[in-house]
Amino acid sequence: MNLDTLFPLGFAHYLAGGLIIGAGISLLFLTTGLIGGTSTVFSSTWSFVSRHAFFQQARLRDSRAWRLVYAAGLILGAAAWWLMAGQDSGYRVSIPWGQLALGGFIAGFGARMSSGCTAGHGICGIGSLQLPSLLAVVTFLATAMITARLVLMVGGS
Amino acid sequence: MKPMSWLMVLASGALFGFGLALSTMIRPEVVLGFLRFDDFGLLLVLGGAVAVTLLAYRFGPKLLARPLFGTAFGKHPSELNARTIGGAAIFGVGWGISGVCPGPALAGLGAGQWELLISVAGLLAGAWVQGRISAR
């Protein structure tokens, strides 16, 4: 094992990106006190259009506005990177649409059931030393690794 | 929320999105490559983000009486129960199928990866169904 085996595409951009992600979540906390998960917006945004009691509960209604602004920030930040660096790379997502749709649906359901995703449990949860979040991360890494392998076996991308 | 808070929310999201793009986490092929042990970069991304966040979460409330533009420091509410772990197991299955999780699905749109609108629609639909069958 050497660095090229573990990181065939290099490692500096991973580390730098991770530190910047942490800086974003830290800035949010230090300036507003908010916890910067990214899956709740997919539930809270429904409160604008659905009168169903679940979506009208206070924790979703009261956070729906800032969560949308935060989502807009995610898009703007990646757009800034795109303009600065990778716009001419010609990269396109090669994963079939069926996989994106099915994976999105199942991940959306699971993340909301679990009250967290790779950001909420992975970064914020472990960042606040919460054992339930650590166990959630170990669990979703395990099922994701198994699933990603099964997808190849059944002829997916 | 104070006006400055909204600007900070936007700026925080932008840093997060920039980091996701720079680290190529917005590319599902890279994420699936990690899940198949071809490239361990995702661990560096997660580790780097956790390290910085850990410091802010730990020392922020000790150094500041309250957030700079807010009223109180929040807490990430996670409980050890079947919902948290069962939901995580289901989330992982979806993540393993597409290589796309909620943050990168949004950030990827900013980098012109329009295909991820399918992921966003899927995430919204999954969250909708979860809400409709959930007691709380």
Side-chain angles (χ1 to χ4, degrees):
Chain A
M1 281 285 188
N2 57 37
L3 279 180
D4 288 343
T5 326
L6 292 173
F7 310 109
L9 304 172
F11 67 88
H13 65 293
Y14 290 130
L15 197 53
L19 294 173
I20 293 171
I21 293 167
I25 291 174
S26 298
L27 179 68
L28 182 71
F29 183 71
L30 296 174
T31 56
T32 67
L34 297 169
I35 305 296
T38 56
S39 74
T40 311
V41 70
F42 291 97
S43 292
S44 64
T45 302
W46 283 115
S47 73
F48 287 105
V49 293
S50 169
R51 294 190 180 280
H52 191 267
F54 178 88
F55 296 111
Q56 291 301 324
Q57 60 184 311
R59 70 181 175 89
L60 295 181
R61 273 187 68 102
D62 296 350
S63 70
R64 63 186 184 182
W66 78 259
R67 289 187 190 281
L68 270 185
V69 173
Y70 192 52
L74 282 166
I75 295 172
L76 287 176
W81 169 84
W82 192 39
L83 292 172
M84 283 168 59
Q87 199 177 2
D88 55 355
S89 72
Y91 166 79
R92 296 260 44 108
V93 175
S94 66
I95 309 300
W97 285 26
Q99 264 178 258
L100 294 178
L102 181 65
F105 180 84
I106 297 172
F109 184 97
R112 296 316 305 138
M113 178 176 160
S114 181
S115 300
C117 59
T118 13
H121 283 314
I123 304 172
C124 303
I126 297 180
S128 49
L129 301 175
Q130 303 220 34
L131 180 65
S133 288
L134 179 63
L135 295 176
V137 172
V138 171
T139 302
F140 69 59
L141 279 175
T143 58
M145 285 167 175
I146 294 165
T147 305
R149 220 155 264 277
L150 290 176
V151 165
L152 281 187
M153 290 166 127
V154 299
S157 275
Chain B
M1 282 190 1
K2 300 174 185 176
M4 266 307 278
S5 296
W6 295 101
L7 194 61
M8 288 299 130
V9 170
L10 189 68
S12 307
L15 274 174
F16 194 162
F18 188 93
L20 284 172
L22 175 65
S23 61
T24 62
M25 293 295 107
I26 57 173
R27 300 187 175 184
E29 297 84 0
V30 174
V31 173
L32 290 173
F34 163 74
L35 293 174
R36 292 165 184 152
F37 307 133
D38 296 330
D39 182 323
F40 289 81
L42 191 144
L43 286 182
L44 288 181
V45 180
L46 187 61
V50 166
V52 177
T53 304
L54 193 66
L55 292 174
Y57 281 5
R58 174 143 280 233
F59 295 110
K62 289 187 176 154
L63 299 171
L64 301 167
R66 66 183 70 85
L68 291 174
F69 307 107
T71 49
F73 287 109
K75 272 204 80 166
H76 174 76
S78 72
E79 299 169 52
L80 187 50
N81 55 32
R83 284 172 56 92
T84 301
I85 302 304
I90 294 170
F91 168 72
V93 170
W95 192 33
I97 290 174
S98 64
V100 181
C101 53
L106 293 165
L109 296 178
Q113 298 174 199
W114 316 119
E115 300 87 346
L116 296 184
L117 281 171
I118 307 285
S119 300
V120 169
L123 287 162
L124 276 170
W128 164 264
V129 171
Q130 191 275 331
R132 290 307 302 256
I133 67 171
S134 178
R136 54 171 187 165

